[in-house]
């Protein structure tokens, strides 16, 4: 048995504001093996993106990691000095953001940006940096990369810009890539192409991937395991086929039932009633209790502990299927 490439234990990231403490991430734990793809899903505000930023130390005041551990290939990242973190970011672990125009410099050519990314971590000539950049652009599906590498970001379409961002993340063959909703702003056909390319790249390179999304349908096409977040906590996780076919947490079931593909033609879409709670004022017990159809008395006062059954975990006092199991 080899050690996990990424091991997260009881990670907590809080934002200290005038109104109080926002518990954006509160006790998140998971492991990721080499070449494994994990989908991290949940509604807006559930803590998915903050989890991704926390993994690579991109949390700035008023936010900070207050507890927990993040180990990358055995090295502890929480509490690491900024100089060492800069050495790790981009080389051992990379991140792909939702909007490539926010990460690509509009006044530099793609060639120059990729060269700067390479030279930040490795010594090489400009010719070698260009050759590697062209090779990676070709791998992510950029046509005629020898010519397009000298273009500026505004000369690419949205899908091509996202491919460039993915190529930059792949330059150093990182052990882990964190992708924060990288296909949300793209049309369906481009989404499908990028998903296929990412699956192929992960399979070929052995890079582990955390795919953050609010779209279960997209995640189901790429991930091997799934973690469902709600109000800063992972409420269910396990092999994706098992979780999607037989969810144990009522929130996971609610997400699945709200998919358009599950709706009867002509009928209204199913919805989870209510809204996510404020992270400033979480309920005393289960955060999902006010919206939960399986609610029992314990849900209002006791935070559900993690339960692990058959290689999958969930946090629920009255899980889906409990009656049938009994």
């Amino acid at each position: 048995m080899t050690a996990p490439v990424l091991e997260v234990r009881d990670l907590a990231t809080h934002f200290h504001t005038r109104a109080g403490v926002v518990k954006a991430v509160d006790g998140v734990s998971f492991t990721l093996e080499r070449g494994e793809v994990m989908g991290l899903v949940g509604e807006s505000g559930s803590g998915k993106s903050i989890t991704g930023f926390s993994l690579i130390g991109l949390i700035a005041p008023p936010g900070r990691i207050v507890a927990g551990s993040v180990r990358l290939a055995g090295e502890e990242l929480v509490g690491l000095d900024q100089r060492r973190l800069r050495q790790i970011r981009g080389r051992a672990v990379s991140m792909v953001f939702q909007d490539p125009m926010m990460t690509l410099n509009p006044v530099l050519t793609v060639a120059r940006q990729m060269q700067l990314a390479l030279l930040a971590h490795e010594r090489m000539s400009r010719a070698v940096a260009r050759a590697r950049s062209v090779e990676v652009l070709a791998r992510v599906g950029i046509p005629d990369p020898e010519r397009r590498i000298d273009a500026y970001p505004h000369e690419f379409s949205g899908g091509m810009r996202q491919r460039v961002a993915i190529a930059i993340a792949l330059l150093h063959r990182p052990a882990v890539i964190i992708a924060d909703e990288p296909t949300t702003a793209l049309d369906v056909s481009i989404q499908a192409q990028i998903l296929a390319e990412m699956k192929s790249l992960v399979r070929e390179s052995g890079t582990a991937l955390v795919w953050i999304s609010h779209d279960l349908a997209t995640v189901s096409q790429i991930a091997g395991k799934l973690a469902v977040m709600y109000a800063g906590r992972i409420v269910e996780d396990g092999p994706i086929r098992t979780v999607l076919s037989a969810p144990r947490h009522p929130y996971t079931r609610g997400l699945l039932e709200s998919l358009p593909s599950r709706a009867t033609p002509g009928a209204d879409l199913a919805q989870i009633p209510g809204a996510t709670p404020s992270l400033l004022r979480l309920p005393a017990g289960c955060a999902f209790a006010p919206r939960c159809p399986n609610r029992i008395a314990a849900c209002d006062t006791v935070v559900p502990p993690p339960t692990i059954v058959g290689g999958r975990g969930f946090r629920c006092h009255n899980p889906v299927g409990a009656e049938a199991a009994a």
Side-chain angles (χ1 to χ4, degrees):
M1 293 289 289
T2 58
V5 66
L6 181 66
E7 189 172 9
V8 181
R9 286 285 173 265
D10 301 319
L11 180 65
T13 302
H14 296 175
F15 288 79
H16 297 264
T17 71
R18 291 181 179 179
V21 178
V22 177
K23 297 180 179 180
V25 179
D26 194 16
V28 164
S29 299
F30 63 86
T31 59
L32 205 58
E33 305 292 338
R34 179 177 169 81
E36 189 172 39
V37 181
M38 185 187 82
L40 186 60
V41 302
E43 293 173 279
S44 296
S46 62
K48 309 183 303 295
S49 294
I50 298 300
T51 298
F53 297 152
S54 300
L55 297 181
I56 57 176
L58 286 180
I59 300 296
R64 63 187 180 93
I65 296 174
V66 298
S69 168
V70 178
R71 300 186 70 85
L72 178 68
E75 182 175 6
E76 180 59 61
L77 303 188
V78 175
L80 208 58
D81 65 87
Q82 287 299 315
R83 181 175 176 274
R84 177 59 181 150
L85 273 175
R86 285 193 293 270
Q87 293 174 345
I88 291 171
R89 281 196 296 254
R91 186 178 181 99
V93 58
S94 295
M95 191 158 188
V96 181
F97 297 91
Q98 181 173 343
D99 184 0
M101 286 305 285
M102 298 296 290
T103 53
L104 298 176
N105 192 321
V107 301
L108 296 179
T109 64
V110 169
R112 181 60 176 155
Q113 295 186 60
M114 297 185 81
Q115 179 191 83
L116 289 172
L118 282 167
L119 296 179
H121 298 285
E122 299 181 50
R123 290 186 176 184
M124 61 181 67
S125 67
R126 291 192 175 190
V128 172
R130 183 181 179 89
R132 189 191 291 185
S133 299
V134 168
E135 175 192 346
V136 177
L137 286 175
R139 288 180 66 195
V140 298
I142 299 290
D144 194 9
E146 294 87 353
R147 181 178 63 85
R148 298 304 302 278
I149 194 173
D150 293 312
Y152 289 87
H154 73 270
E155 298 178 274
F156 290 85
S157 67
M160 288 298 172
R161 284 195 292 264
Q162 196 59 280
R163 283 180 168 88
V164 171
I166 292 169
I168 292 174
L170 288 168
L171 278 173
H172 295 284
R173 306 174 183 90
V176 178
I177 293 177
I178 301 162
D180 185 15
E181 305 207 44
T183 62
T184 298
L186 306 178
D187 62 58
V188 175
S189 62
I190 301 300
Q191 281 188 26
Q193 292 175 26
I194 290 180
L195 286 170
E197 286 158 4
M198 288 299 290
K199 286 172 68 175
S200 175
L201 290 167
V202 166
R203 186 169 56 250
E204 293 169 6
S205 65
T207 296
L209 176 63
V210 179
W211 190 276
I212 299 170
S213 180
H214 64 273
D215 187 349
L216 274 171
T218 299
V219 169
S220 66
Q221 296 178 51
I222 189 170
K225 72 180 191 180
L226 182 67
V228 181
M229 283 198 77
Y230 186 81
R233 295 191 179 112
I234 291 178
V235 296
E236 182 164 7
D237 66 287
I240 191 164
R241 292 183 182 276
T242 306
V243 173
L244 294 183
S245 62
R248 299 304 309 276
H249 199 283
Y251 178 61
T252 308
R253 182 177 63 179
L255 289 178
L256 288 167
E257 290 178 347
S258 65
L259 291 173
S261 59
R262 297 284 184 101
T264 304
D268 292 338
L269 291 177
Q271 298 182 41
I272 300 174
T276 54
S278 168
L279 296 179
L280 279 168
R281 291 174 292 278
L282 289 171
C286 175
F288 188 61
R291 310 172 70 188
C292 184
N294 285 26
R295 181 177 181 177
I296 58 175
C299 301
D300 294 325
T301 57
V302 181
V303 176
T307 301
I308 300 175
V309 178
R312 59 188 298 190
F314 54 89
R315 287 175 173 264
C316 187
H317 292 300
N318 187 26
V320 177
E323 301 85 356

